[in-house]
Amino acid sequence: MRTRSVGVFKIATTGPGDVSGLMARIGSGAIDPREILAILGKTEGNGGVNDFTREYAVSALCAALAPHLDLPPREVEQRIAFVMSGGTEGVLSPHITVFTRRAIDSPPVRPSGKRLSIGMAQTRDFLPEELGRSAQITETATAVKAAMADAGISDPADIHFVQIKCPLLTSDRVEAAAARGNKTATTSAYASMAYSRGASALGVAVALGEIAADLHDEDVLRRYDLFSSVASTSSGIELMHNVVIVLGNSAASASEFAIGHAVMNDAIDSAAVVAALQSIGLRIAPQATEGRELINVFAKAEASPDGTVRGCRHTMLEDTDISSTRHARAAVGGLIAGLAGTGAVYVSGGAEHQGPAGGGPVAVIARLSD
């Protein structure tokens, strides 16, 4: 396999339609648009079913990149994986993280150890009645393995973060299933987000051998003892298939960057965040770590389903004014921002089967000077 170089660029945005930072990087030559493989973003919507800031951001990015790729905007999504996570509550700051990849014949200086590598794959389109069920688990597992191969990573231990964008149900999609004589996992659009996220996360766990493959429909959102330690799934209205992005370290990569991770056991697990930073040689803020520069932190957050955090009752699940996912993003985002020294971190709500119940994975990418 040819050596690859992976680049990572975090760019602040002033709104979901702001592409000026990316265009400036392209104009300066820092980013070659033909090498962009994936863009992950945080947008300032509500993160719910009707959060159209995600679709708006993708539309703006596609329109801006299309001329540089000699493609119509609608075809840019077939070439680049876009994952927009809505919700920047509290101190979370809207931004995008751009991942590039290019093949090189041989690096002038081979970096020591394994370095960041990225791979992408997609599932087929799902029928509405397949969301949140075993079909989505199975298809996702297949796509994760394909993304690993695309990244040049064979050992699951080298995988530190698997980001998935997955679909949700709408009333039209529920009615379409009913017209075929089939029932969906739920008739609630909001609840379907959790079902889709959960099934997708279980697909990651199956692919990486974290759990056994013999799962059933009823395991989703019920068997919380089953989870992936590296999955991060985000549902949206803008697609009907899963987009899978695998991030890990590979000996075939000559990247300046490396990734590590840890698992938060609950929403206030600062020790796990510190462990994730330390896994790639970083300290808590202010970092000032020689030879290391923090690029971004990626984490999942959710309100503990049992209604408590370390024995103390929380009210996130009982607030009828503000969604529990918004509470969780704000709480975990604040914790991570304090330790990382920046609010421009990627914290996504809804961690069903993504880490232990009430917790979630946290991954860190850093630039290594060697």
Side-chain angles (χ1 to χ4, degrees):
M1 183 175 184
R2 293 183 68 187
T3 300
R4 290 171 169 175
S5 178
V6 174
V8 189
F9 306 84
K10 185 168 70 173
I11 303 170
T13 58
T14 60
D18 178 23
V19 298
S20 61
L22 175 58
M23 291 301 103
R25 296 291 185 98
I26 290 174
S28 70
I31 294 177
D32 184 341
R34 295 166 298 181
E35 296 176 354
I36 298 175
L37 188 72
I39 299 179
L40 276 61
K42 285 300 302 181
T43 63
E44 55 263 51
N46 60 25
V49 176
N50 64 332
D51 183 354
F52 299 109
T53 64
R54 298 176 300 221
E55 188 174 7
Y56 179 26
V58 172
S59 178
L61 288 165
C62 287
L65 290 170
H68 296 276
L69 300 174
D70 295 323
L71 293 172
R74 66 180 181 277
E75 292 184 16
V76 175
E77 282 191 77
Q78 304 304 313
R79 176 164 175 166
I80 298 172
F82 294 94
V83 179
M84 297 296 137
S85 172
T88 51
E89 299 81 5
V91 298
L92 292 176
S93 182
H95 68 281
I96 59 173
T97 305
V98 180
F99 293 88
T100 63
R101 187 179 73 182
R102 62 186 174 91
I104 55 178
D105 291 326
S106 60
V109 179
R110 186 78 183 185
S112 59
K114 296 178 180 180
R115 296 299 180 94
L116 180 66
S117 189
I118 182 173
M120 183 183 73
Q122 299 184 7
T123 67
R124 61 170 173 82
D125 279 359
F126 294 110
L127 293 170
E129 56 267 33
E130 292 179 316
L131 296 186
R133 290 176 168 156
S134 56
Q136 190 173 19
I137 296 172
T138 301
E139 293 295 328
T140 300
T142 299
V144 170
K145 292 178 180 179
M148 287 179 62
D150 185 48
I153 299 175
S154 57
D155 187 351
D158 287 328
I159 303 297
H160 294 282
F161 202 65
V162 180
Q163 177 63 58
I164 294 178
K165 188 68 177 183
C166 54
L168 56 82
L169 292 174
T170 63
S171 57
D172 288 344
R173 292 169 183 174
V174 172
E175 289 175 6
R180 291 190 298 271
N182 296 316
K183 289 185 177 181
T184 52
T186 177
T187 57
S188 164
Y190 185 72
S192 77
M193 299 177 77
Y195 273 98
S196 186
R197 289 191 301 254
S200 299
L202 289 173
V204 176
V206 168
L208 301 183
E210 296 177 283
I211 61 174
D214 55 338
L215 298 180
H216 308 284
D217 292 349
E218 54 269 24
D219 292 329
V220 182
L221 303 191
R222 292 178 180 85
R223 290 285 307 279
Y224 282 111
D225 58 311
L226 303 176
F227 61 84
S228 170
S229 296
V230 296
S232 170
T233 65
S234 178
S235 51
I237 199 171
E238 65 271 21
L239 75 176
M240 277 305 291
H241 61 280
N242 278 13
V243 178
V244 178
I245 302 168
V246 162
L247 294 167
N249 295 317
S250 170
S253 174
S255 173
E256 296 179 85
F257 307 90
I259 185 171
H261 85 280
V263 180
M264 296 179 69
N265 288 309
D266 55 41
I268 57 174
D269 191 355
S270 59
V273 181
V274 173
L277 291 166
Q278 292 177 336
S279 71
I280 48 175
L282 290 171
R283 303 187 184 96
I284 62 172
Q287 272 92 31
T289 306
E290 186 176 353
R292 300 287 189 274
E293 177 191 357
L294 174 67
I295 300 301
N296 210 348
V297 181
F298 302 85
K300 290 298 296 187
E302 72 168 358
S304 178
D306 70 359
T308 66
V309 177
R310 301 192 189 183
C312 295
R313 183 173 69 92
H314 70 73
T315 61
M316 291 185 280
L317 297 172
E318 300 162 355
D319 189 339
T320 56
D321 295 313
I322 303 173
S323 165
S324 64
T325 57
R326 307 196 75 178
H327 279 290
R329 277 193 298 266
V332 175
L335 173 71
I336 292 175
L339 295 171
T342 175
V345 293
Y346 184 100
V347 179
S348 173
E352 304 85 1
H353 301 291
Q354 301 152 69
V362 54
V364 180
I365 294 178
R367 178 185 282 111
L368 282 57
S369 63
D370 61 348

